[in-house]
């Protein structure tokens, strides 16, 4: 841990120099970036990134100063890389991998097989050839030697495997086949299955947790190369009840399988957009803090990635359903602004969620849950 901390500090200084920021722009005055705070807790802190984000000087400075890893938000998905048969578009992914390299950040590859990003030309349907998937996995992983890969994204639906094109084409063995393929392409990469809606206590999410456990147990027993499970953690205020013991037990069951756990896509969808910004920010931080207190108490959790840093660039929007909950609000032409579910506001100023993340990491350090002690 000490060595890692030293490297993180050097990385921070090097990255600030590279992007032309004086060293005091971040991490100065005794205020550590989340990367350094996370390193002391044995947690690699990261963010999802787009090329547009890294081209914005304020957000690039946050990524370099606060994070130890990047996940491409869009750039490495199959349909983005291979929009047409025989054509490849590596620009977005190259920009993110290049930034990570230049700033000595880790890279989480995201994602190889996802039902929402299958190019039409690949014709993943009954009778399809596995060679198409194998070629995609090998080509992408060899171009981007990421240390972790979300090999299969969102394979669960209801209480079993999702009725995805992959299931239809290749049957339930496709998850194991994809992991084997990924391991062959890059034996050093740590391979993950990544999933959403595993965090809350509802019956629907209980079924999803049970299905995930069945899946990883089958994979582990079969000797399939799976190293971890990604818990997306797209949190949402007021959508479902949160029960600490339920989450704690689920994470412990994953850890008992010998798996690492990564929190891969943390953000918070708000509910009460009519409240003053200070109250909204407090509600977001509070909601995330309850999740993080449980998640970071599990030693197998070694990574925490936010799905973006600034509300200015978040996939969470204030949509029509949100507005409909508050009839008459904003009739004067005002606006709820952005969903405020990321650690920095639209001007890249730290919000209470940033403090909640730092606090949860510090709490974990105080518990002695560093890699060195495990
Ligand atoms: C989302 C991106 O944030 C959006 O910009 C894009 O339009 C769709 O994909 N689960 C995942 C992520 O694993 O890849 C998704 O990212 C969000 C849900």
């Amino acid at each position: 841990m000490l060595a890692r901390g030293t490297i993180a500090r050097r990385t921070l200084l090097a990255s600030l120099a590279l992007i032309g920021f004086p060293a005091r722009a971040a991490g100065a005055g005794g205020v550590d970036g989340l990367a350094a705070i996370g390193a002391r807790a044995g947690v690699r802190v990261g963010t999802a990134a787009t090329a547009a984000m890294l081209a914005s000087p304020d957000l690039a400075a946050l990524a370099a100063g606060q994070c130890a890893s990047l996940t491409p938000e869009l750039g490495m998905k199959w349909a983005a890389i291979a929009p047409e048969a025989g054509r490849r578009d590596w620009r977005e992914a190259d920009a993110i991998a290049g930034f990570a390299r230049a700033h000595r950040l880790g890279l989480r590859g995201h994602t190889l097989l996802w039902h929402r990003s299958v190019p039409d030309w690949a014709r993943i349907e009954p009778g399809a050839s596995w060679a198409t998937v194998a070629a995609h996995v090998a080509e992408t992983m060899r171009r981007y030697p990421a240390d972790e890969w979300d090999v299969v994204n969102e394979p669960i639906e209801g209480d079993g495997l999702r009725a995805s094109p992959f299931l239809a084409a290749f049957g339930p063995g496709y998850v194991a086949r994809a992991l084997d393929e990924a391991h062959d392409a890059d034996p050093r990469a740590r391979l993950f299955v990544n999933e959403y809606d595993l965090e809350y206590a509802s019956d629907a999410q209980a079924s999803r947790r049970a299905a995930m456990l069945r899946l990883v147990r089958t994979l582990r027993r079969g000797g399939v190369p799976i190293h971890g499970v990604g818990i997306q953690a797209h949190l949402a205020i007021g959508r479902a009840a949160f029960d600490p013991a339920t989450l704690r037990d689920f994470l412990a069951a994953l850890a008992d399988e010998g798996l690492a756990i990564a929190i891969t896509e943390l953000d918070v969808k708000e509910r009460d957009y009519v409240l003053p910004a200070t109250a909204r920010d407090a509600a977001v931080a509070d909601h995330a803090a309850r999740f993080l207190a449980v998640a970071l108490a599990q030693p197998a959790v070694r990574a925490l990635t936010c799905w973006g840093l600034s509300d200015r660039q978040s996939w969470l929007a204030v949509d029509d359903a949100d507005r409909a909950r508050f009839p008459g609000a904003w009739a004067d032409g005002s606006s709820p602004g952005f969903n405020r579910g990321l650690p920095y506001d639209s001007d890249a100023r730290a919000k209470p969620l940033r403090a909640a993340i730092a606090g949860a990491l510090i709490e974990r350090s105080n518990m002695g849950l560093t890699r060195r002690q495990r």
Side-chain angles (χ1 to χ4, degrees), residues 123-128 165 168-170:
R123 301 188 65 113
I124 303 301
E125 58 200 22
F170 308 114

Side-chain angles (χ1 to χ4, degrees), residues 243-326:
D243 174 47
T246 301
L247 179 65
R248 190 191 59 219
D249 292 351
F250 175 59
L251 299 179
L254 293 174
D256 284 347
E257 292 300 315
L259 294 164
I261 301 168
I263 308 303
T264 51
E265 308 187 11
L266 178 71
D267 58 15
V268 182
K269 172 83 176 148
E270 291 181 81
R271 191 99 189 143
D272 287 326
Y273 294 92
V274 283
L275 296 175
T278 47
R280 288 170 59 182
D281 291 347
V284 163
D286 209 63
H287 192 78
R290 292 196 297 138
F291 168 80
L292 290 170
V294 178
L296 295 182
Q298 167 53 250
V301 172
R302 316 252 171 83
L304 170 60
T305 295
C306 298
W307 207 239
L309 290 173
S310 156
D311 295 329
R312 194 168 89 224
Q313 289 186 12
S314 167
W315 81 305
L316 295 175
V318 184
D319 56 29
D320 290 344
D322 294 321
R323 289 167 198 277
R325 278 203 307 280
F326 308 104

Side-chain angles (χ1 to χ4, degrees), residues 48 50 71-74 77 110-111 114 116 150 153-154 194-196 232 234 264-265 267 307 314-316:
T50 60
T71 304
E73 182 170 347
L74 309 162
K77 290 169 180 168
H110 177 83
T111 171
W114 187 32
R116 285 173 59 191
D150 291 330
N153 197 31
E154 304 180 348
N194 191 43
E195 191 54 85
Y196 69 95
Q232 290 187 4
H234 288 294
T264 51
E265 308 187 11
D267 58 15
W307 207 239
S314 167
W315 81 305
L316 295 175

